[in-house]
Amino acid sequence: MPVVIASDCINCDMCVPECPNDAISMGAKHYQVASDLCTECMGFYEEPACLKVCPIDCMTIAADV
Ligand code: SF4
Ligand code: SF4
């Protein structure tokens, strides 16, 4: 399942360079993850790289919501 970004994202930009699939981009009000591009970093890292850098933990894996 893809990562989703909650509306409390502060647009800090920390997660963007971490994504091996270029799945994270600016949306209308805050950053968003393209669900068709996010693979939970499978094949690149053991854990979703973006989750580890988000300073306010507003990113979650969709299945966990
Ligand atoms: S989990 Fe990985 S592939 Fe998905 S948005 Fe985060 S960094 Fe990108
Ligand atoms: S690291 Fe978190 S707060 Fe920063 S832009 Fe990404 S989702 Fe938003």
Side-chain angles (χ1 to χ4, degrees), residues 2-60:
V3 163
V4 291
I5 297 177
S7 60
D8 51 348
C9 168
I10 57 173
N11 300 330
C12 72
D13 212 34
M14 293 282 287
C15 56
V16 177
E18 300 300 321
C19 182
N21 294 321
D22 291 331
I24 307 170
S25 62
M26 189 63 192
K29 292 184 177 173
H30 57 81
Y31 279 85
Q32 60 188 13
V33 173
S35 58
D36 56 332
L37 295 178
C38 175
T39 59
E40 290 183 38
C41 291
M42 200 175 296
F44 292 96
Y45 309 113
E46 290 186 7
E47 299 172 30
C50 55
L51 294 184
K52 292 202 281 189
V53 299
C54 181
I56 62 166
D57 293 331
C58 70
M59 310 180 92
T60 51

